[in-house]
Amino acid sequence: MKHTLIILLFMTVMFPVQAQETKEIKGRVVEQSADGQKVGLPGASVQWLGTTEGTGTDEKGNFSIRWNAVGSLVVSFVGYRTDTVNVESYGRASLPESSQVGKTEKTENIEIVLMSGEMLDEVSVASRRLSTVLTTRKPIIEQVINSEELSKAACCNLGESFSTNASVDVSYADAVTGAKQVQLLGLTGKYVQMMTEGLPNFRGISSLYGLNYVPGTWMSSISISKGTASVIQGHEAIAGQMSVDYKKPRVSEKIFLNVYLNSEQAMEFNAHAGIILNDAWSTAILLHHDRMENEYSMHDNGFLDMPRQVQYNIMNRWEYKTDVWHLQFGGKALSEEKTGGQKEFRRGMEKGTGPGNYYGIGLNTGRYEGFMKIGNLMPDFEEATSMALLVNYTDHDQQSFFGARKYDVRQRTMYANYIFQSTFASNEDQQYSVGVSYNQDSYDEQFRDYLSDIVDVTPTLDMKREEKEAGAFFQYTGIFWEQLTAMAGLRYDYHNLYKGILTPRLHISYAPDDETIFKVSAGSGARTANVLSDNSFLLASGHSVFVNGKRLSDNPAELGKLDMEKAWNLGALFNRKFYIADRTLTLNLDYYHTNFSHQVVADYETNPKEINFYNLDGPSYSNSYQAEVQYELLPRLDVLTAIRYNDVKQTVGGILERQPLQSKYKGLVNLSYTTSSEKQWQFDFTTQFNGGGRLPGDEGNFAPYQIMNAQVSKFFKYWSIYGGCENIGDFTQSNPIRGYDDPWGTNFDASKVWGPLQGRKFYIGIRFGLT
């Protein structure tokens, strides 16, 4: 695979590139409210007519795109009328004769005003909007998934938003709790920094279940950065960073409703309302409820494949915006209850443990969040100078049991980040950011183990931990010769338990011409290992918990001897555009290497009846290779094909082994077709090819398998209806629960999951939106 990518890269760079003067179109996409105020539209699609070459607008609605001879830009945003703008006047003809080869000339900003969708009689399509955009002007390697890509599947929550994405895997953590964990570069989600609108979130005890806390209809976009990210948000990004943008009050629907039902009798309801109070103030309310009470089980083992669950989720956000100040604040509250295990188990039965009693699992979660972001453009200072203060508070309380095991935990987090940004000598091509941050985590954990080897319950351990960390950072971003962009950052944090943490990071982007981009990144990352919360899915087994070879129930002090996890990440990306039949074919090749110097190992292989946590003693690394091609094969028929190969190894019990329960490779094909009629239809089909992998211990390997999903959507003026089928081939992992006939014994294990647990699933939904 490695040699294949090298050959592909060599062949593509051998294609002759015509030396030519180029021009850069810069502008801003805005909406105009009834009172005449213009507000930037973040996440709008800006695309050259008849091609797949485009970009997205930033948080202020600004965009920058290299000139294309097509001369017409198609600008679109969900809920607004698509506009086609002729920008011939900004074409190459206006370039001075003295322009250098490969030089990019900047134009004056152009403004594009999108009108509300209420002015449309029916939906019309001028051109396909890019649904996944690779940022080309930023040095960071970032992919943005917008609302159109999210609508290609049901996307009930964040964990179900990546079925059409080649870079991200989402798999079940175990066979009883329904918890899903994300994987990036072959590494689990605990090594991915999860954020919401630039604020670190879903850390610690929420890292495993946080994907279920973000309803799909609340999201306007998802940004994915592979490898190291900016130093501004901290040092925790090791495999990468994901940031969710929620819908904003001014650009959200006035009223939005969504109802979803599936063949497993699960239901979901979402309701949003965006309210503009005056020129400066606006607010939005977002509601979510989902329920699954059916006893769903495809396996003949007496256990539910998915737990019964009920979730309530509400968010209220406020925005105040003037020419100088921008204030956002709000809160979010969540309540969730899950009950799983054997079919006959009901709440209240957990008091009966051991043989002769039904085995069950239960999770009760209460989560509260409050955030504030305030920014000032500082007009009295140099051009492009601004400051921002970001504050976030979360209170997460989880009470859970796994058979006779009890794990109750509460985490309270306070985060604050002050950022000052300006330019050197008023040169917008030479910018810097400097700031300070503070993070405090308070953990209160109560753990009661079940010693299945002697059928006994241990006393409850009461473990409290306080983590305080203060940091400072500096980041420089420079543009040279219009082709080379460099971002270099350095931060230093002092942790009350782990002392000083130095984090350097570097990103470089080079565009020798309009069709070619090279990007490289390098840097380090570090995170605190939360042994029980990171690996709570392993508690759904009959294995006793050990730390450094000592039983945790007798030696809780051993937790303090575990290291902070640290790693270096190196990455490279090559992007090339080819013009075939007047349409753009985009080729992406990337490679990432992650090398751990410190890591906490969860060893369930050396002794299959124990889970032993200890510090890494030997190599641990990940290599990820990916090739991806996007092309509009026929008018309005987009094709995405990709293949990724993961080489992930860790030293366990003194032996360097390939990571178990993980596919070696993943192939993806996504087809998306939209009709050109006024009453628009959209057809989406995705198939995933998952390679085989290693099973723990001496159990051999699991075989490759394929998953297919399809969805059909019909759009009207204010509403749409969608329906589809997931896992069309009805493939599921056989025997996902080992020792199910004796769940209180040492052989019971529901944590060895490598494939789908749910079979073929049909669903239907309806959306209503008034903009």
Side-chain angles (χ1 to χ4, degrees):
M1 180 67 187
K2 180 177 180 180
H3 299 298
T4 302
L5 291 181
I6 294 174
I7 293 171
L8 283 171
L9 177 61
F10 176 77
M11 293 176 63
T12 55
V13 298
M14 288 299 101
F15 276 80
V17 180
Q18 180 179 356
Q20 57 188 12
E21 300 92 351
T22 61
K23 200 172 185 67
E24 186 177 78
I25 301 297
K26 299 181 71 176
R28 186 168 182 247
V29 180
V30 300
E31 68 156 344
Q32 186 165 348
S33 58
D35 56 12
Q37 184 180 9
K38 293 180 179 179
V39 180
L41 290 175
S45 172
V46 181
Q47 182 178 347
W48 290 111
L49 180 65
T51 76
T52 57
E53 182 180 353
T55 187
T57 58
D58 62 17
E59 66 276 4
K60 297 179 181 179
N62 297 317
F63 70 90
S64 174
I65 188 170
R66 291 181 181 272
W67 171 255
N68 187 297
V70 170
S72 294
L73 286 173
V74 178
V75 185
S76 60
F77 190 78
V78 173
Y80 291 79
R81 181 176 181 177
T82 298
D83 196 7
T84 302
V85 181
N86 190 320
V87 290
E88 286 287 355
S89 58
Y90 298 92
R92 291 193 179 94
S94 62
L95 278 172
E97 294 180 359
S98 59
S99 294
Q100 299 294 322
V101 172
K103 182 178 180 181
T104 302
E105 294 290 333
K106 295 182 179 178
T107 72
E108 297 297 324
N109 282 351
I110 60 175
E111 184 178 76
I112 302 171
V113 181
L114 292 188
M115 307 304 292
S116 169
E118 293 180 14
M119 301 186 65
L120 288 172
D121 292 330
E122 292 290 347
V123 174
S124 61
V125 179
S127 175
R128 289 306 304 274
R129 176 190 179 194
L130 281 175
S131 56
T132 302
V133 180
L134 177 72
T135 59
T136 58
R137 307 304 294 166
K138 296 180 181 179
I140 290 181
I141 303 171
E142 183 181 57
Q143 192 178 55
V144 179
I145 302 173
N146 61 31
S147 54
E148 182 169 324
E149 183 71 18
L150 295 174
S151 69
K152 290 182 179 180
C155 290
C156 296
N157 54 57
L158 179 59
E160 299 179 1
S161 301
F162 304 105
S163 60
T164 61
N165 187 276
S167 299
V168 181
D169 292 324
V170 177
S171 59
Y172 286 103
D174 59 72
V176 289
T177 67
K180 291 184 177 181
Q181 57 182 349
V182 68
Q183 288 188 355
L184 190 63
L185 309 184
L187 299 173
T188 58
K190 61 186 178 183
Y191 299 114
V192 180
Q193 186 180 33
M194 302 297 296
M195 308 208 308
T196 52
E197 300 191 345
L199 295 164
N201 208 338
F202 306 128
R203 306 167 53 256
I205 64 175
S206 60
S207 62
L208 183 61
Y209 301 100
L211 295 180
N212 198 42
Y213 300 157
V214 182
T217 64
W218 290 18
M219 298 183 290
S220 62
S221 65
I222 306 171
S223 300
I224 304 169
S225 299
K226 294 183 180 180
T228 58
S230 167
V231 297
I232 293 176
Q233 285 87 23
H235 55 69
E236 293 187 341
I238 292 178
Q241 184 184 85
M242 291 187 188
S243 183
V244 173
D245 273 352
Y246 292 119
K247 292 183 176 180
K248 308 294 192 299
R250 286 194 175 271
V251 296
S252 175
E253 300 90 349
K254 294 178 181 177
I255 298 175
F256 177 86
L257 300 173
N258 175 68
V259 178
Y260 164 93
L261 300 169
N262 69 29
S263 55
E264 297 170 4
Q265 300 180 35
M267 65 81 61
E268 177 180 315
F269 172 76
N270 297 280
H272 316 161
I275 305 169
I276 300 176
L277 301 175
N278 54 40
D279 291 352
W281 284 97
S282 58
T283 185
I285 300 174
L286 301 94
L287 305 174
H288 169 83
H289 171 61
D290 67 66
R291 181 179 297 270
M292 168 69 173
E293 295 183 332
N294 184 39
E295 294 184 354
Y296 177 80
S297 178
M298 288 190 61
H299 300 89
D300 188 21
N301 56 19
F303 278 75
L304 299 177
D305 291 338
M306 289 292 109
R308 308 178 192 93
Q309 74 169 44
V310 178
Q311 183 188 111
Y312 297 93
N313 206 339
I314 181 173
M315 179 179 181
N316 178 220
R317 64 181 305 164
W318 291 78
E319 183 175 24
Y320 172 82
K321 189 172 184 180
T322 67
D323 292 338
V324 176
W325 289 96
H326 191 188
L327 169 67
Q328 299 181 72
F329 64 91
K332 181 181 175 185
L334 174 141
S335 174
E336 183 179 68
E337 179 181 295
K338 291 186 176 186
T339 305
Q342 290 181 302
K343 294 180 181 180
E344 296 84 359
F345 177 83
R346 295 294 183 272
R347 286 297 181 105
M349 294 182 179
E350 63 268 21
K351 297 179 181 179
T353 59
N357 295 282
Y358 292 116
Y359 182 95
I361 64 100
L363 293 97
N364 289 354
T365 303
R367 180 180 175 87
Y368 307 94
E369 301 178 30
F371 72 92
M372 183 195 71
K373 300 192 292 183
I374 183 169
N376 182 273
L377 295 180
M378 306 181 74
D380 296 333
F381 290 78
E382 291 185 359
E383 188 176 356
T385 298
S386 63
M387 55 150 281
L389 175 64
L390 291 75
V391 180
N392 192 43
Y393 175 80
T394 61
D395 186 343
H396 188 112
D397 189 0
Q398 176 183 299
Q399 299 178 358
S400 59
F401 59 87
F402 302 81
R405 281 195 173 107
K406 173 185 176 182
Y407 180 51
D408 296 343
V409 56
R410 183 181 182 187
Q411 178 185 353
R412 287 166 288 179
T413 299
M414 179 67 189
Y415 170 83
N417 193 10
Y418 173 81
I419 308 166
F420 177 82
Q421 179 175 298
S422 189
T423 62
F424 289 106
S426 298
N427 183 355
E428 291 191 26
D429 288 344
Q430 305 294 318
Q431 298 186 359
Y432 68 90
S433 299
V434 62
V436 293
S437 63
Y438 177 77
N439 191 85
Q440 180 173 335
D441 292 305
S442 300
Y443 293 92
D444 186 358
E445 296 178 282
Q446 294 182 333
F447 177 64
R448 183 185 67 199
D449 201 3
Y450 176 74
L451 310 184
S452 55
D453 51 347
I454 57 176
V455 193
D456 192 15
V457 175
T458 68
T460 300
L461 297 178
D462 192 353
M463 301 173 289
K464 291 182 171 61
R465 186 174 82 251
E466 193 89 11
E467 296 188 28
K468 301 177 182 179
E469 184 177 73
F473 58 86
F474 177 85
Q475 182 170 279
Y476 163 78
T477 303
I479 301 176
F480 306 91
W481 310 293
E482 301 288 349
Q483 297 171 320
L484 178 68
T485 304
M487 175 189 289
L490 182 68
R491 72 173 294 129
Y492 178 82
D493 296 270
Y494 186 82
H495 195 286
N496 65 315
L497 300 179
Y498 299 100
K499 309 308 177 185
I501 306 167
L502 188 66
T503 307
R505 290 176 179 174
L506 175 67
H507 301 266
I508 297 176
S509 174
Y510 176 63
D513 54 68
D514 290 352
E515 290 80 25
T516 309
I517 299 170
F518 295 92
K519 291 188 179 185
V520 295
S521 65
S524 65
R527 68 176 296 273
T528 300
N530 300 284
V531 168
L532 291 177
S533 59
D534 287 347
N535 304 278
S536 61
F537 60 93
L538 294 176
L539 301 180
S541 69
H543 311 329
S544 297
V545 181
F546 287 72
V547 179
N548 295 324
K550 300 177 181 179
R551 197 183 295 272
L552 176 59
S553 57
D554 300 324
N555 301 274
E558 291 296 317
L559 289 171
K561 300 179 182 179
L562 298 177
D563 292 337
M564 171 174 270
E565 299 186 297
K566 299 179 181 179
W568 282 86
N569 184 283
L570 305 175
L573 175 139
F574 172 76
N575 175 276
R576 177 67 185 247
K577 294 182 175 64
F578 303 93
Y579 300 100
I580 303 174
D582 295 326
R583 290 186 289 272
T584 304
L585 182 147
T586 303
L587 170 69
N588 288 314
L589 305 175
D590 64 49
Y591 164 73
Y592 290 88
H593 173 75
T594 308
N595 187 58
F596 285 89
S597 59
H598 299 78
Q599 190 178 28
V600 175
V601 178
D603 182 359
Y604 46 80
E605 297 193 71
T606 302
N607 185 339
K609 298 183 179 181
E610 295 178 359
I611 308 166
N612 190 17
F613 298 97
Y614 52 82
N615 291 322
L616 177 70
D617 184 15
S620 177
Y621 62 83
S622 164
N623 292 307
S624 178
Y625 310 83
Q626 182 169 313
E628 181 177 320
V629 176
Q630 297 182 56
Y631 183 59
E632 189 177 2
L633 185 62
L634 298 171
R636 300 176 306 283
L637 174 61
D638 290 339
V639 179
L640 167 67
T641 62
I643 186 168
R644 187 183 71 248
Y645 178 79
N646 291 327
D647 175 26
V648 185
K649 292 184 178 180
Q650 183 184 59
T651 301
V652 178
I655 302 174
L656 182 64
E657 292 273 16
R658 179 180 287 275
Q659 187 75 19
L661 307 174
Q662 183 184 80
S663 295
K664 292 182 181 178
Y665 65 84
K666 174 184 177 179
L668 178 76
V669 177
N670 174 252
L671 306 175
S672 181
Y673 177 75
T674 302
T675 63
S676 59
S677 62
E678 290 185 350
K679 294 185 177 181
Q680 180 185 354
W681 289 83
Q682 181 169 320
F683 304 87
D684 295 286
F685 173 81
T686 303
T687 182
Q688 298 178 9
F689 304 92
N690 299 275
R694 186 176 73 87
L695 294 171
D698 300 324
E699 300 180 34
N701 301 289
F702 61 87
Y705 61 93
Q706 181 181 1
I707 299 294
M708 294 179 290
N709 304 321
Q711 178 175 289
V712 178
S713 305
K714 176 70 172 70
F715 299 91
F716 298 92
K717 181 179 179 181
Y718 296 118
W719 61 281
S720 63
I721 186 170
Y722 60 94
C725 180
E726 297 178 357
N727 196 357
I728 296 173
D730 202 30
F731 174 82
T732 59
Q733 176 182 339
S734 59
N735 302 320
I737 301 179
R738 307 176 187 194
Y740 62 85
D741 54 340
D742 182 18
W744 303 102
T746 57
N747 293 322
F748 174 73
D749 193 349
S751 65
K752 304 301 184 290
V753 174
W754 50 263
L757 299 176
Q758 295 178 286
R760 186 184 298 113
K761 179 172 65 178
F762 297 93
Y763 63 87
I764 188 170
I766 185 169
R767 303 184 182 105
F768 172 82
L770 181 63
T771 57

